[in-house]
């Protein structure tokens, strides 16, 4: 695991064009396989809070989904920095060395399938998985970003 993370640190994700359409609300995808280690919020349509108005594209989706995991919009700055460094918020970003995939750079990318079969292409599925991972492992996007700053990976 450390070797893979070191490879990710040395070889940041390559970035391919990302979809630009942003829905007025974001549907959190329903799980299609076994649940992850921690409980996740129920799949619902999430309105985009007015406090997310300054974000667009996949960042806006991420901002809208923060509340599903008990995070306030104040965590968006840390999440934005984290995933900008990891993938540029591109759902098709792939690390050429490790194979880490998507906006949160899941390794392997197929881990995200617990939130939807469309994990390869759906930013909302990837963001939902990524926020679940951050909550379970670090407690908050700010803590995950602090870890990234200290280690160059999360």
């Amino acid at each position: 695991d450390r070797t893979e993370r070191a490879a990710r640190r040395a070889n940041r994700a390559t970035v391919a064009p990302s979809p630009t359409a942003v829905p007025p609300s974001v549907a959190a995808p329903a799980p299609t396989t076994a649940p992850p280690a921690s409980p996740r919020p129920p799949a619902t349509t999430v309105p985009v809070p007015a406090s997310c108005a300054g974000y667009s594209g996949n960042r806006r989706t991420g901002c809208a989904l923060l509340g599903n995991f008990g995070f306030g919009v104040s965590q968006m700055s840390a999440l934005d920095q984290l995933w900008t460094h990891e993938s540029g918020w591109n759902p098709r970003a792939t690390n050429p060395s490790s194979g880490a995939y998507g906006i949160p750079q899941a390794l392997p990318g197929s881990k995200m399938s617990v939130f939807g079969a469309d994990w390869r292409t759906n930013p909302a599925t990837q963001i939902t998985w990524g926020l679940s991972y951050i909550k379970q492992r670090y407690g908050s996007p700010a803590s995950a970003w602090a870890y990234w700053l200290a280690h160059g990976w999360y």
Side-chain angles (χ1 to χ4, degrees):
D1 207 35
R2 286 191 187 277
T3 304
E4 292 170 347
R5 289 183 177 139
R8 282 176 52 192
R9 185 171 52 251
N11 298 300
R12 290 287 160 225
T14 56
V15 179
S18 172
T20 57
V22 178
S25 64
V26 179
T32 58
T33 61
S38 67
R40 63 185 168 277
T44 59
T45 300
V46 180
V48 178
S51 53
C52 294
Y55 296 100
S56 62
N58 295 332
R59 286 174 174 87
R60 184 175 175 142
T61 301
C63 186
L65 288 171
L66 284 169
N68 281 6
F69 295 89
F71 303 133
V73 175
S74 64
Q75 292 289 314
M76 187 57 196
S77 176
L79 185 67
D80 190 17
Q81 292 177 86
L82 178 65
W83 287 348
T84 294
H85 279 83
E86 287 292 308
S87 66
W89 288 83
N90 185 333
R92 289 186 164 87
T94 303
N95 182 301
S97 177
S98 70
Y101 189 80
I103 293 169
Q105 288 292 280
L107 185 61
S110 60
K111 286 181 185 180
M112 296 184 285
S113 68
V114 298
F115 286 100
D118 60 353
W119 65 269
R120 288 176 187 87
T121 57
N122 187 335
T125 299
Q126 294 180 10
I127 291 166
T128 300
W129 179 88
L131 289 170
S132 176
Y133 171 77
I134 287 170
K135 182 170 184 142
Q136 179 182 348
R137 180 156 178 147
Y138 299 99
S140 71
S143 294
W145 176 235
Y147 189 91
W148 193 99
L149 287 171
H151 299 93
W153 58 272
Y154 82 113

